[in-house]
Every structure is written in C-alpha cells, then in structure tokens.
Amino acid sequence: MIPLFDTSVPPDAVLPPDAVLPLLVLASSLVPGLVIFFLGEERVRTRTLLNLGGALTKLALVGWMFRGVYEGQRYEARLPLLDGLDLVLRVGSLSLLFLVLSAGLWLVTTVYAVGYLERSPNRSRFFGFFSLCVTATVGVAMSGNLLTFILFFELLTLTTYPLVVHRGTEAARRAGLAYLAHTVFAGVMLLAGTVWLYTLTGTLTFAPRGFVSEIADTHRGPLIAIFALLIAGVGVKAALVPLHGWLPLAMVAPAPVSALLHAVAVVKAGAFGIVLIVYDVFGVEQAAELGLTGPLAAVAAVTIIYGSLRALFQDDLKRRLAFSTVSQVSYIVLGVAIVGPLASVGGIVHLVHQGIMKITLFFCAGNLAETLGIHKVSEMNGVGRRMPWTMGAFSIAALGMIGVPPIAGFVSKWYLGLGALEAGVHWPLYVLTLSSLLNAAYFLPILHAAWFCEPTTQWPAAGSGTGTENGKPIGDSGRWLRPETGWLLLLPPLVTAALSLLIGLFASSPFSPLEWSLLIAEREFHYP
Amino acid sequence: MTQPVFWALVGMALVVIGLYGLIVHAHLLRKILALNVISSGVFLVFIALARRAPRDGAAISPGPDPVPQAMVLTGIVVAVAATGLAVALIVRLRAMTGRTTLGDEADN
Amino acid sequence: MALAPSSIEWALAVVFLPLAGALLCFLAPRRAAALGLTIAALTAASTLGLTLEVVVAGTQRTVLGGWGAPLGIVWLADGLSVTLMAMTAAVGVAVSVYAAAYFRDEHTERAFFWPLWLLLWTALNALFLSADLFNLYVTLELMGFAAASLTALGGSAAAVSGAIRYLLVSVLGSLFYLLGVALIYHACGTVDIALVAACIGDAPRPAVQAAVGVMFAGLMLKTALFPFHFWLPPAHGSAPAPVSAVLSALVVKASFYLLLRLWIDVLGGGGRWLAELLGLLGAAAVIWGSVLALRQERLKLLIAYSTVAQIGYFFMAFPLALAGDSAAWTGALYLALAHGLAKAAMFLTAGNLMRFGGHDRIAELDRAVHRLPLTLTAFTLAGVSIMGLPPSGGFIGKWLMLEAAFRQERFGLAVVMLLGGALAAAYVFKVVGHAFTPAVRSRRERKIPAAMEWSALLLAVVAILLGLTLPMIWPLLQIGGPAAALSAAGAATGAVA
C-alpha cells in the first residue's frame, strides 16, 4: 500500500522535503492580496496585473508540484506552534486534487470578477479579500494536521465575511451575520473536537487510515462525540442540513463571490474537511467500525433530497442554484460515507466535478443579472436567443448536474451508484435516482423557458446601438465581434462549461480527476 | 484575652464599621471618611499584631517590632494622599454637576 | 562585559527612567510629548535589556541600597515578571506614540497625561519587580492613584465620577490587601515573599486563612473579577482612548499578576475550594461580561465589558492548575499577554473612530470600513485574538486551557471557554458589520493622524504574531520562581484548605 501522505518515511529522512514550494503557493495569493489593499481605487491595471499574475503563478506552482508529487518528491513546511504541535503544510494526492481545483478555478473567477466589478466601488478591498480567501483555501488543501486545518478554515471564515457583506447594504449585513453565526458555531465545535481529540491521542497529524485506531477500543464514547463535533464543525461550511441556513442568505453577495463560495472555497473546504476527517483522522474503516458512517450517510441523503426539494420552489435564480449546491455537495459526503472504494471515487471526483459545473452556473447567473437584469427564473423566457453563449454554457452545466452523459456529473453519479452496489447497499441508488429526477425538475424548466419560450420583455441589445428586434440582431455585420456581454464575463463560463464536458468525455485518460480519485481511493483502501 | 488580640479585634471592628459606612452612605465625603476608618482599622491590626507570633524555639524579642511601625507610617502617608486625591476629584465633580454622589450610571 | 550595564542597572532603569520622565514632563509641560516619547523608548529599551539579561543569566536579584531581605527592599526579575514588563513596554510604546498624536491639540490634557502615564509605568514596573508583600502594596497604591487620575483626564462629569468610583474601589482593595499583609506579618514575621513561602507551612492556620481571604478579596476587587466588575466599565469607558488602553491592558493585569504570585509563590498552590470558587467566578465573568458586551450600544463600553469577560478566563486557570497541569497557567498567562496587546489596540481604534465621527455609537459607524480601513483592520485583528482564532496569542492561550480542561474532563469549564469565544466573535462582528453599512445621517469627520492608526494596527499585529512565539516565550516563563512552583502547585493542594 502506498500511503496517502508518505508517513512511512521517518521525519528525519535522508531527502529533506521541499519546504519552499508550499509556502510559495500560499504567497502567490497572499502577497498580491496584501499589496492590493494598499493600491488606490483607480490603479486598475496594476491591480489586474497583480491578480492575474498571482493566479497564473499559483497555477504554475501547483502544476510544478503535481509533477513533483508524481515523481515522488515530498513537500512539507512546518513551523512549531505549540508544545509538540506544529503548523504543517503538506502536499499529498488528495490535497493536490483540491489544490488544482482551487488554483484553476481561482484563475477563471479572477478574470470573471475583473469584468464583473468593472465600475463598482471598493474594488481594492474586494480583490484583496478575494486573494486572501484563496490563500486560506489552498492552506486548507495543504494542511498536514488538524491544527493547521483549523487555522486556515477559520481564516477562510474571516476573509469571506467582508466579501459577503461587500455591498454594505442592510441585507448584506444581515446575511453576513447569519453567515458568521453559523461559521462561528462551527468553529467552536471544530475547536472543541480537535482539542479533545488531541488530549486523547497526543497527535493531530493526518495519516492515511486515520490516527485514532489505538484508542478506538478504550474511548469509544468520546470518539463518537468527537466525530460528531468535528463533522458539525466542517458540516456548516459544507451546508449539511440542518446547518445549511447561511448558504441561501449569502446570495446577496456579488456573483463572483457566490461562485467562489459555492465552487472554490467555502463549501468545498467544508466538503474537503469531511473527506479529511473521515479518511485521515478516523480512517474510513475505523469510522465504519465505530458506527459513524451510517448516520453520516443518512444526513447526506437527507441533505441531497431536501436541497433538491427546496430548489424546486425557488424563483430567484441564485437561490435555486444555492439550494442545488446544498444538495450536490452532499454527494461528496455520501460517497465518503458509503464506505467502499468505488463510492469514495465517486465522492472525491465530485469534489472537482461539482466545482466546475456549479461555478459555470453561477457565472451564467451573474451574466444574466449584469447584462439583462434578470434575477428570477420567471424572467428567463427566451433569454437563450439573446444570450446564446451564456445559456449554452448554462445548459451544459445544468445537464451535467442532472447527470446526463457524457458530462462530468454523470461520471460522479455513475461511480456513486456502482459504489453503493459494491458496498452491498441499495438505498443510495434510490436517493441518487430521486435526486436526479428532482435535479431535472428544477433545471429543465429553466432550459425550456430559456430556449423555447417567447421573450416577454424587451432587452437592450448586444453591444451598443445595434438594431434589434425581439432580441435578435438584424443584419449586423459586427455581430460576431460584438459579444452578447463583456468578453471577461463570457469567457470564464465558456471555459468551465467546456471543461466540464471534457473531463466527462476524457474521464479515463491519465491525470483526469477520475483517475486521480482512483489513485486516492486506492491508497485509502486495499484496492485490488 | 491578651492586649494585642484585643486591639486587633478593635481594629477589625473598625474595618467592618468602615465597610458598612462605605456601602451604605451615598455622599462621597462620607465614603472617604469610611475609607479612612477602614484604614485606621487596618493600621491598628497591623500594629497590634506586630509582635511576631510565638513559635517553638524562637526567642521573642521584648518590646514592639519596629518594622510594622515603619510600614504603617508609609500606609498612613498613602492614605492621606488617597484622601487628598479623592477630595480634589469630589470638589471637581461638585463644581461641574452640583452633585456629591455618584450618579446612576453604575446601574449595570 | 565590563562596559555593558549589569542587570542591576537595567532593573533600576526600568523603574527610575519613567519616574524621572514623569517629573521632567511635569516640569516642562510644553515639551512633554517629545520628552515622554524619548523616555518611553528608553524604558522599552531597558526592559529589553533586562529581559535579555534574564534569558541569558536567569533570575536577577537587585538589593536596593545594599539592605538585604528581611529589612531592606529586594527586587526580583524572573521570567514571569520580565514577560509582563515586556508586554507593558510594547503597549507602552504604542500608547505613547498614539498619545503624542492624540493629545497634540489639547494642551491641558497633554500637560497631565504624560507625567501620570509615566508614573503609572513606573508603578507597573516596580510592581512586577517587587519581591516583598509590603512593597507590592505601595506599588499597588501608586498604580491606583496614577490610574485614577488618568481616568479623570477627560474632564467630563462622567470621567470624574468614573475616576472617583475607581479610586474608592482601588483604595478599598489595597486596604484589604494590606490587612492580609498585616496578618501574614503576624504569622511569619516577615513580608519577603521567599521567606513567607518558607514559613507559611507551619504558620498558624487561622491567621493564614484569614490573610489569604482578605488579600484575595481585595485583589479580586482590583482585578474586576465578576461580581466585583461594576466599577470597570464606567471607568474604562469614559477615559480618553490611550488611558482606557493602558487601564484595560496593563493595570488590570498587574493585580492579577499579584494574585498569581501569591497563589504560586507564597501559597505554593493554594486551596481546592478557593480555586474552585475563583474558577466559578471566572466562568460567570466570561458569560456575563460577554453577554453584556454584546448588548452595549457604545463601542467603548462594549470593549470594557469584553475586558470583564476576558478577565474571567484568567481565573478559570485556578481550578485547572490544581491537578498540576502547568499548561493551564501558561495558557492563562498567554491569554493575559494577548489580551493586553489586543485590548490596547481595540481601545486605540475606538479612539480613532470616536475622533473620526465624534461619537462611538456602534449602529452609526457609517461605512468606517471604507473610510478608516487601517483602523478597522486593527480592530478586527485585535478581535481575532480576543475571540481566540488561530494563530493569535489568544488562540494559543485558549488552546492550552482547553487542553487542560479536556484532559481533566472538566467539560463544564471547556464549554464556558468555547461559549465565551463564540460570544466574543458575536460582539466583535457586531461592530465590524455596522462598519460596513451607511448610517442614516452622515456626520462630520475629522482627519485621523497616521500615527494613531498605525500604532493601533501594529499592536494588533503583535497580538496575532504572539501566537507564533510560544516556543520562545514558554522557556522564558519557566525561568526563576514560578517554574518550580508551577509543577509543585498541584502537589501542594490543601496547604490552605
């Protein structure tokens, strides 16, 4: 067995692990973020340069690390903090998956945000926190023990708060309050569980198959309580029912923030945290032995159904997407909790797939709101004719969410289903089927309205001063040069939509998220 | 009852009386007087118990112990300074508000 | 090393430099700011010198005037005292820089602030150095007088009545403490801490018990431990910002330090019931103070109640340390250090906001985030430490105490600590949230000098960075007296039943 994190090598091994690269990955967004805070509001060029430079640098560094991990290089940076407890940054295969996802999606989201916030106030503050938020996310991805995880997890809370209340309205303040009420509660749970665990085990270092097996026989009760505390702690960010209340409220934030919250940072960090706690703190088999995965799976199933049901009745597009996120993220949890290699693959790969598809949907929703002022599903009649590219991307992502092959979402659901069969349980199949039906029920009407209904309102035309009728440009030679909305707004969803199609199509090619998830699952289970 | 114990009890009584006065009276001058009564009590206890406690084998020196006397002297100086400062503040308060009691802002 | 000043000179410098500075500033009020800043820098440098000396050579003893222990005055600088002096110096320098800008245009306040503040610093350093109980009483009173006078500096009726209340409480607390000293002198015939500690085991128990009772009562009053906290919010809430900062950050810590010294050095661990009582009061303080902080509508009162709550944490270490868990003490001390830095930063930012908008009503902060970003950053960073989020100093302290609580399965205490953190987050973000929204009507705004914003920000950053320095500060805390007693503290339960 190859361990997930290479713990078979003693700490003082011959080859010193590379400590610089993890720190550089952090710095590539931390430094631009801090510099941006001090930039004047009008220094648009410098700010954009810093943003994109940081995002590209991070992506390049992560790519470099990807190669390094593949070749067996270890990456580890540590800073002593407490007696016997260090802050540790480590890069293993699971962290890499999340790193690549967040670094890649950060790049597109930055492009999108630059276009989206073109003339709004307080951009320096926005982009500063935006960068810090990503710093926290990659920190979560690279954390090598529970203490480091808490550090970056809480940093994530702090850096997303200003983004949620960015607009400075009373509604935004209340949303921020709700967000904090949930996350602070979560932080308390997480801290309590962590300290308690530390007093029992004397270590918090993530290890493949967990580090609690030695005390599993003597401290059953406390371990079960600790598991509940930890899962409640990360479950708030992962929006597990009944801890999901903040997510729909946080929709008051600007679209790039929603995209960031849902696909890259917060919700993902929560789901990633659940994966870490089950795999690298308790060990999935140990957790199953303690009888913990059953309730977790039940919670995930309830969340999946509940989120879909609520989404069905939302007229506000972003709220519908938000409840859809509540539902979709729990696929990851479900995959983990079914306890089986294939289900794990399904869950882990959904971490990536859901991110890419959901970010596409939010970009598109942002485009509709920004270009045409559409916020509600009921206003979307015929919008496909006015903004075909945006709605095209939206359709791909929505179909992927439903699970239509060959889009990414199908792959996740396929493996989840297979995993359930492999583990010998059938009820997840019903949950998956029901959820897919509900997904279809709340996405297909949107697609139908957008493509096949007559527009009910007159929208301003694409580009400026182009003559239109019913949203259709007439005989304009510059039609293909004039995009339906700003290029910076249009490109990101197109890229991510294409990606969600491609990773579904080429799921079995090397280095695809699926293959990588197989690798991860292989290291957690004795996979044949 | 030996003499030192008697005086110590008197001192304690003064402390208690002063504490009572401090709590009961609202007028600030009375509060300061009460504090001074307390401090007199404390000093009395200090002087009365100045003799080192008898311990087996230790020779008790005849006559009073000079160290506590010096300490009490210091204490008296401190008490006088405190009284002066408090009186100055009260005069200021009265000049500004006409009150010689603490207001209601101490509710919580 | 012949040229370098020896430890004796450093210890003298940290007390007599600010004392001389206070006199000079009083004599030359026009140059007070420049003089005060110079003296602050020199005092801080001397503190650093003393700290290094202790790190290199261990506990330093200074026998003043050549008179030895039973009769003369001895100063003792061990790890605990230099750590607190270093915290005082850090806060002191920042507050001095801040005050130089804050009082620039207010001549009377400037003329009185500097002498009193430097006197307060003198008293604090002397208190941290003193090694006999009576000397501690004198420094305690000095500190109380300086602090009460500083409270009245604002000159308003609220400030003066706050100062009077503070003075009364302070003198009462000191008198109780002195009563305890009298009883201890009766029992042991000495006031030197080391000699008292040696004899307290076979001293008559009633006298020692009574002494401990009155001393702790007096010091709890001065530390504003629940339910004796009533005087703190009005005093800290009505003083000028730099004064509130030093009162909350330093003065309260000094009497807590004294309690700790008594507990560890004199009593060698103290009694079980007293420890439990202190822990209970501490827990009540955390909850009560936090809830009241959350309910305040004025920023400075909110911060003051937050101090009431934070003081509670320090006392929750007493029952935890009974079982010999030295992590609890380190945790409480760390919390005290972090609180000192963070709370000072918070009060300084409150001063900025107050000067900026002319008021400190939380609901009308009126987009302060956009207009005073540095100040709000400082406030939030300080808040992060108060809430105990990683990697701040407050987090480390809370972690150590939580660890002790869970290890001893004292879940009640753990729950209170965690709840206190959540409530702290609630009141910090109550302020931050309102700083994002616009007020109904805009008000005048005054320019804030850069020195006032940056000094607060730097303090807050230091409070955060403090969390990363545990590997350096832990060994420092172990130097000298407390360390041996820390581990013995658990063994000696029941010394005073």
Side-chain angles (χ1 to χ4, degrees):
Chain A
M1 185 197 75
I2 313 159
L4 184 56
F5 296 111
D6 205 358
T7 45
S8 56
V9 185
D12 49 355
V14 270
L15 259 177
D18 187 351
V20 181
L21 217 50
L23 293 178
L24 281 181
V25 169
L26 276 188
S28 62
S29 51
L30 181 65
V31 174
L34 292 179
V35 173
I36 285 169
F37 278 123
F38 291 98
L39 280 184
E41 203 52 35
E42 295 315 313
R43 307 273 301 274
V44 181
R45 262 171 180 287
T46 323
R47 190 169 52 230
T48 310
L49 204 68
L50 274 169
N51 269 324
L52 293 180
L56 285 169
T57 314
K58 186 185 295 291
L59 201 57
L61 289 170
V62 170
W64 182 262
M65 260 189 340
F66 194 92
R67 202 195 61 123
V69 167
Y70 194 72
E71 289 172 357
Q73 167 74 42
R74 292 163 60 235
Y75 296 99
E76 183 178 296
R78 56 172 70 228
L79 175 75
L81 187 71
L82 281 155
D83 195 25
L85 257 184
D86 296 351
L87 285 180
V88 183
L89 292 178
R90 262 200 218 173
V91 180
S93 39
L94 183 58
S95 13
L96 256 184
L97 188 79
F98 192 29
L99 267 182
V100 173
L101 174 75
S102 48
L105 291 188
W106 185 39
L107 180 61
V108 280
T109 315
T110 307
V111 173
Y112 186 79
V114 169
Y116 191 88
L117 292 167
E118 213 157 290
R119 270 175 296 278
S120 70
N122 304 312
R123 275 163 298 172
S124 282
R125 190 184 76 210
F126 180 88
F127 281 106
F129 281 115
F130 203 70
S131 299
L132 291 188
C133 174
V134 171
T135 310
T137 311
V138 295
V140 166
M142 293 192 291
S143 48
N145 61 23
L146 211 43
L147 182 70
T148 322
F149 180 79
I150 290 188
L151 165 69
F152 287 108
F153 206 68
E154 297 296 340
L155 186 64
L156 189 59
T157 306
L158 291 179
T159 51
T160 41
Y161 173 79
L163 296 176
V164 173
V165 295
H166 180 73
R167 293 209 203 267
T169 57
E170 188 59 23
R173 192 181 70 81
R174 287 184 185 282
L177 212 60
Y179 178 56
L180 274 176
H182 282 85
T183 47
V184 163
F185 164 79
V188 166
M189 297 287 145
L190 190 58
L191 183 62
T194 306
V195 181
W196 198 358
L197 186 62
Y198 182 64
T199 56
L200 296 180
T201 58
T203 177
L204 290 175
T205 310
F206 292 140
R209 310 162 75 71
F211 55 81
V212 301
S213 47
E214 282 171 25
I215 58 160
D217 296 327
T218 49
H219 293 83
R220 268 190 102 80
L223 274 182
I224 291 170
I226 290 169
F227 186 81
L229 285 171
L230 293 178
I231 292 293
V234 293
V236 165
K237 282 208 173 73
L240 287 182
V241 170
L243 308 170
H244 66 285
W246 61 274
L247 191 56
L249 284 174
M251 288 297 100
V252 295
V257 176
S258 306
L260 197 73
L261 291 182
H262 283 253
V264 191
V266 178
V267 175
K268 267 310 136 56
F272 182 72
I274 292 180
V275 174
L276 274 182
I277 287 164
V278 175
Y279 284 175
D280 288 354
V281 174
F282 280 77
V284 65
E285 278 155 0
Q286 186 68 59
E289 197 269 322
L290 286 166
L292 297 168
T293 47
L296 185 61
V299 168
V302 168
T303 309
I304 290 173
I305 303 299
Y306 175 84
S308 301
L309 280 175
R310 286 297 301 270
L312 208 49
F313 299 104
Q314 304 300 323
D315 188 34
D316 188 298
L317 180 58
K318 280 175 82 180
R319 276 180 72 88
R320 186 175 288 199
L321 293 181
F323 277 109
S324 157
T325 303
V326 171
S327 158
Q328 293 279 338
V329 166
S330 273
Y331 280 34
I332 304 168
V333 184
L334 185 66
V336 167
I338 288 178
V339 190
L342 284 178
S344 298
V345 170
I348 294 171
V349 80
H350 202 56
L351 200 72
V352 179
H353 290 170
Q354 189 268 349
I356 295 174
M357 294 185 296
K358 189 41 72 67
I359 208 168
T360 313
L361 292 173
F362 272 107
F363 285 156
C364 294
N367 283 358
L368 294 178
E370 192 69 351
T371 320
L372 305 178
I374 292 179
H375 296 280
K376 293 193 185 325
V377 176
S378 52
E379 298 165 349
M380 287 180 68
N381 288 349
V383 74
R385 305 179 199 179
R386 168 62 181 79
M387 300 182 76
W389 290 99
T390 301
M391 283 318 292
F394 189 93
S395 305
I396 291 179
L399 290 175
M401 283 290 182
I402 299 168
V404 174
I407 308 166
F410 166 73
V411 180
S412 319
K413 290 193 180 177
W414 176 257
Y415 271 89
L416 284 174
L418 274 187
L421 289 179
E422 183 199 48
V425 284
H426 292 278
W427 61 266
L429 287 180
Y430 303 123
V431 171
L432 284 174
T433 319
L434 181 58
S435 156
S436 296
L437 285 176
L438 287 168
N439 290 162
Y442 63 75
F443 273 129
L444 288 183
I446 301 180
L447 300 189
H448 176 262
W451 294 113
F452 302 111
C453 289
E454 283 300 312
T456 45
T457 32
Q458 284 277 37
W459 289 302
S464 50
T466 319
T468 55
E469 200 181 323
N470 279 351
K472 273 180 275 182
I474 6 167
D476 185 1
S477 58
R479 182 182 165 188
W480 293 105
L481 293 177
R482 285 181 200 280
E484 56 197 43
T485 181
W487 276 114
L488 291 179
L489 295 184
L490 191 53
L491 275 180
L494 291 180
V495 168
T496 49
L499 256 180
S500 53
L501 197 56
L502 286 177
I503 55 176
L505 273 175
F506 298 101
S508 55
S509 63
F511 302 120
S512 75
L514 179 65
E515 286 298 308
W516 201 252
S517 308
L518 282 167
L519 193 71
I520 294 167
E522 195 175 296
R523 291 173 180 195
E524 180 69 22
F525 296 91
H526 296 285
Y527 193 58
Chain B
M1 186 184 286
T2 58
Q3 224 182 14
V5 173
F6 172 73
W7 289 117
L9 286 178
V10 171
M12 287 309 294
L14 281 177
V15 170
V16 173
I17 291 169
L19 200 57
Y20 174 80
L22 186 68
I23 294 167
V24 165
H25 292 292
H27 196 289
L28 285 169
L29 265 182
R30 283 176 188 269
K31 279 191 191 290
I32 291 182
L33 283 176
L35 267 183
N36 275 289
V37 172
I38 296 178
S39 59
S40 305
V42 171
F43 298 150
L44 196 56
V45 172
F46 213 148
I47 295 289
L49 299 179
R51 218 180 278 270
R52 299 175 190 196
R55 266 186 289 163
D56 31 84
I60 305 159
S61 60
D65 187 348
V67 178
Q69 315 244 356
M71 289 179 184
V72 166
L73 257 179
T74 316
I76 290 172
V77 173
V78 170
V80 170
T83 311
L85 179 55
V87 169
L89 286 172
I90 292 167
V91 168
R92 183 73 186 270
L93 182 70
R94 176 138 195 276
M96 270 190 298
T97 64
R99 283 188 292 122
T100 47
T101 52
L102 291 176
D104 307 313
E105 63 269 6
D107 274 349
N108 35 25
Chain C
M1 292 290 281
L3 287 175
S6 72
S7 65
I8 297 177
E9 288 158 23
W10 285 130
L12 291 178
V14 296
V15 174
F16 287 107
L17 264 176
L19 182 61
L23 294 175
L24 285 176
C25 286
F26 183 70
L27 292 175
R30 285 174 181 285
R31 300 209 168 70
L35 267 172
L37 277 176
T38 319
I39 295 289
L42 287 175
T43 310
S46 316
T47 310
L48 187 66
L50 183 63
T51 310
L52 291 178
E53 190 77 32
V54 169
V55 169
V56 172
T59 306
Q60 299 294 316
R61 277 174 73 91
T62 308
V63 182
L64 290 184
W67 289 77
L71 266 184
I73 292 173
V74 176
W75 281 352
L76 209 66
D78 60 10
L80 180 58
S81 43
V82 292
T83 312
L84 282 161
M85 276 192 275
M87 191 255 290
T88 308
V91 173
V93 168
V95 166
S96 299
V97 171
Y98 184 91
Y102 188 87
F103 291 121
R104 182 173 294 148
D105 304 323
E106 281 140 78
H107 297 284
T108 20
E109 293 187 6
R110 185 182 63 198
F112 290 108
F113 172 80
W114 287 102
L116 289 171
W117 153 230
L118 290 174
L119 203 59
L120 181 64
W121 199 341
T122 309
L124 284 166
N125 277 348
L127 188 143
F128 294 136
L129 280 172
S130 293
D132 76 74
L133 296 174
F134 187 74
N135 211 351
L136 283 167
Y137 163 73
V138 175
T139 53
L140 209 54
E141 286 285 36
L142 262 180
M143 186 183 82
F145 292 168
S149 314
L150 278 171
T151 311
L153 200 62
S156 67
V160 172
S161 64
I164 293 174
R165 185 179 286 116
Y166 180 55
L167 183 66
L168 293 178
V169 165
S170 164
V171 170
L172 182 66
S174 305
L175 282 175
F176 268 67
Y177 172 81
L178 186 64
L179 188 58
V181 175
L183 292 172
I184 287 206
Y185 190 86
H186 167 66
C188 291
T190 179
V191 287
D192 182 84
I193 285 183
L195 298 179
V196 171
C199 99
I200 202 125
D202 29 64
R205 279 169 70 87
V208 174
Q209 278 176 345
V212 169
V214 287
M215 283 171 125
F216 270 67
L219 291 174
M220 275 151 64
L221 189 61
K222 286 183 85 103
T223 316
L225 175 62
F226 177 91
F228 301 124
H229 65 280
F230 57 90
W231 58 270
L232 188 145
H236 290 196
S238 57
V243 175
S244 307
V246 292
L247 291 183
S248 249
L250 306 176
V251 174
V252 171
K253 301 298 168 347
S255 45
F256 174 71
Y257 162 85
L258 191 46
L259 267 177
L260 206 57
R261 277 268 179 225
L262 285 179
W263 189 263
I264 295 174
D265 284 0
V266 177
L267 302 176
R272 163 153 219 100
W273 293 110
L274 187 54
E276 294 295 342
L277 176 70
L278 290 174
L280 200 65
L281 291 180
V286 169
I287 303 296
W288 183 249
S290 303
V291 168
L292 277 181
L294 194 54
R295 293 186 47 190
Q296 296 306 312
E297 281 164 9
R298 283 189 43 210
L299 180 57
K300 286 187 81 174
L301 282 178
L302 181 147
I303 304 175
Y305 273 108
S306 151
T307 300
V308 172
Q310 294 287 316
I311 288 165
Y313 281 111
F314 312 156
F315 285 91
M316 284 165 77
F318 283 88
L320 289 176
L322 272 182
D325 214 332
S326 70
W329 283 136
T330 314
L333 278 171
Y334 229 80
L335 273 180
L337 294 178
H339 174 253
L341 297 164
K343 196 44 71 73
M346 262 191 175
F347 267 120
L348 297 186
T349 58
N352 290 350
L353 290 168
M354 205 153 168
R355 171 157 300 191
F356 182 74
H359 69 90
D360 70 340
R361 285 182 296 279
I362 296 166
E364 295 174 42
L365 281 177
D366 199 10
R367 292 182 293 119
V369 166
H370 315 289
R371 304 197 284 172
L372 288 177
L374 286 180
T375 297
L376 255 292
T377 310
F379 182 85
T380 314
L381 287 180
V384 163
S385 181
I386 298 284
M387 299 177 229
L389 290 185
S392 66
F395 170 76
I396 301 293
K398 199 175 280 182
W399 175 283
L400 290 172
M401 286 182 64
L402 272 176
E403 209 184 306
F406 274 112
R407 198 177 293 134
Q408 300 169 31
E409 306 197 334
R410 306 280 308 246
F411 295 115
L413 289 178
V415 166
V416 171
M417 285 182 221
L418 292 164
L419 193 62
L423 286 169
Y427 60 69
V428 167
F429 276 101
K430 175 184 173 184
V431 178
V432 176
H434 280 290
F436 271 90
T437 50
V440 184
R441 50 199 167 121
S442 274
R443 302 178 149 266
R444 73 192 176 106
E445 36 184 275
R446 270 174 75 183
K447 210 171 146 39
I448 303 297
M452 282 167 66
E453 293 211 82
W454 279 100
S455 51
L457 183 60
L458 282 181
L459 263 186
V461 168
V462 172
I464 299 284
L465 291 182
L466 185 68
L468 304 174
T469 58
L470 183 69
M472 275 182 276
I473 292 184
W474 185 300
L476 181 60
L477 283 174
Q478 309 292 317
I479 294 175
L486 277 175
S487 42
T493 48
V496 185

